[in-house]
Amino acid sequence: MTDPAIVGVEDRGVDVAVIGAGPAGLAATVNAASEGLITVVIEAAAVGGQAGNAAMIRNYPGFPDGVSGDELTRRLSNQAASFNARFIRDRAVGLTARASGVLLRLADGGEMTSRLVVVATGAAIRRIGIQNVDRLAGKGVAYGSTVAQPDAMTGEDVVVVGADASTGPAAVALARYARNVTIVLRGAVDVSLSPDLVKQIERTKNIRVRVNSQVIDAYGESRLEGVIVRHRVSGTTEAVGAHGLFVLMGAEPGSAWLKGTVERDQDGYLLTGPDLELLQGRPRAWPLDRAPLWLETSVPGVFAAGDVRHGAARQLSVAVLEGASAIMLAQRYLREQAAIAVSAAG
């Protein structure tokens, strides 16, 4: 998609800085800018994030015939621009909480102060790294953390490659519609799948499991026709015909730049609101009398929305909801700060 105009911020002081221009970040931007808040979006890559590459999204409210990720995120970015939100092509590399707001450090060496921040940097889906597999992404090959619409594979042969807890449930869900489902696991079944899932899969006649195996290639011209599976011990290969390949290898949250500054879970996802109780108490040096708000991180005035957040639902519509909700909560924070300032002045 074509990015909206991305410009610098002359005064380097704003009301809201949104880090990331995926669906959550764009929704936060639209809601902040429409409220008259001086809003900037900081994005180093393409506006729209990974969602912008989705060929068709069929479960987004208001689009009964589906909508492409490019179209949806383009509409959001244009809407944000219509409210005078400004876009900066850069990357945030650090933040520091100050009395006047949050100081953001950018990769180009610049700095910016914002009254509040929404982190919506998402999570990068881990890929296999095979040329023919990547070439067919969106043409039968789907990367993700779950299978959103298993019924789309009705009557088809599909392959599921997994490295996280979503692999088994995704295969079972697909088996309700697909003709055959092949699960490809790098290790043994008892290592990769829970005992309950193993039993459920064994009872499902149209699921077969290839253990100690990996997908090494894919074939097909305009769409996926099949994959090549190699046994990692014997070295033997097998061609598996399929019109769907679901690669569920987890994701890497875009939060490394906040390590040591904002509390994260063991996988790097940002902890917010009630989930900060995972730290067995309030966040380190939490300065406010109240508990953190739902989408508020361990740093007051810094919120998280979308896939970068611990416990996020990993659905586009939910990411948009969280982006909008982050601004509602952020406005509450601003009102609190204003009341504190008035009280101190009095």
Side-chain angles (χ1 to χ4, degrees):
M1 66 180 283
T2 301
D3 290 346
I6 299 183
V7 299
V9 177
E10 295 178 359
D11 57 10
R12 295 286 174 176
V14 298
D15 294 322
V16 182
V18 179
I19 317 300
L26 290 173
T29 303
V30 168
N31 280 269
S34 67
E35 292 293 323
L37 298 172
I38 300 173
T39 307
V40 299
V41 189
I42 300 170
E43 172 60 68
V47 171
Q50 295 181 91
N53 297 321
M56 185 60 63
I57 300 165
R58 299 188 183 278
N59 62 347
Y60 192 81
F63 292 90
D65 297 323
V67 61
S68 71
D70 178 83
E71 171 70 11
L72 184 61
T73 54
R74 182 178 62 81
R75 291 189 180 200
L76 282 169
S77 61
N78 288 345
Q79 190 176 16
S82 74
F83 288 119
N84 298 316
R86 291 174 285 180
F87 291 74
I88 300 175
R89 187 180 297 281
D90 207 335
R91 180 168 51 88
V93 296
L95 64 79
T96 304
R98 291 185 173 179
S100 59
V102 179
L103 177 69
L104 285 167
R105 296 185 298 281
L106 306 181
D108 69 355
E111 294 183 341
M112 173 188 302
T113 299
S114 180
R115 296 170 68 193
L116 54 90
V117 172
V118 177
V119 180
T121 44
I125 298 298
R126 295 189 178 97
R127 292 178 172 260
I128 290 181
I130 298 171
Q131 182 178 358
N132 280 333
V133 173
D134 289 340
R135 177 177 61 84
L136 293 167
K139 302 174 183 177
V141 175
Y143 286 97
S145 56
T146 186
V147 177
Q149 296 174 286
D151 58 331
M153 289 289 103
T154 298
E156 302 283 6
D157 292 333
V158 302
V159 175
V160 179
V161 176
D164 63 15
S166 66
T167 304
V172 171
L174 284 164
R176 298 191 187 102
Y177 304 95
R179 182 172 62 179
N180 293 296
V181 178
T182 300
I183 304 175
V184 179
L185 302 175
R186 288 181 62 87
V189 170
D190 57 355
V191 173
S192 304
L193 304 174
S194 70
D196 289 341
L197 272 175
V198 171
K199 293 178 182 178
Q200 189 173 4
I201 288 170
E202 288 174 346
R203 294 194 299 266
T204 306
K205 295 181 180 180
N206 62 334
I207 296 181
R208 62 174 182 169
V209 182
R210 294 289 179 264
V211 298
N212 298 316
S213 300
Q214 61 189 126
V215 170
I216 62 170
D217 206 353
Y219 55 91
E221 293 300 323
S222 60
R223 65 164 296 175
L224 178 73
E225 296 178 10
V227 299
I228 305 298
V229 177
R230 180 175 64 192
H231 194 274
R232 299 177 65 232
V233 178
S234 67
T236 58
T237 60
E238 173 190 7
V240 179
H243 280 161
L245 170 61
F246 295 89
V247 183
L248 311 178
M249 300 179 64
E252 187 73 25
S255 67
W257 64 287
L258 295 171
K259 183 178 181 180
T261 303
V262 179
E263 296 293 350
R264 310 184 301 165
D265 68 12
Q266 62 182 5
D267 297 315
Y269 292 92
L270 299 180
L271 294 168
T272 59
D275 289 328
L276 284 161
E277 294 178 3
L278 295 174
L279 300 174
Q280 298 181 342
R282 286 199 171 179
R284 183 173 58 247
W286 177 256
L288 305 182
D289 292 334
R290 64 161 174 81
L293 301 173
W294 170 43
L295 298 175
E296 194 169 23
T297 69
S298 59
V299 178
V302 177
F303 297 81
D307 289 358
V308 73
R309 190 179 69 83
H310 171 87
R314 311 284 191 269
Q315 291 184 10
L316 191 148
S317 58
V318 176
V320 169
L321 171 64
E322 288 193 4
S325 298
I327 296 304
M328 293 176 61
L329 296 170
Q331 288 179 307
R332 174 178 167 181
Y333 171 80
L334 291 177
R335 289 193 296 270
E336 289 177 351
Q337 295 303 104
I340 292 172
V342 170
S343 176

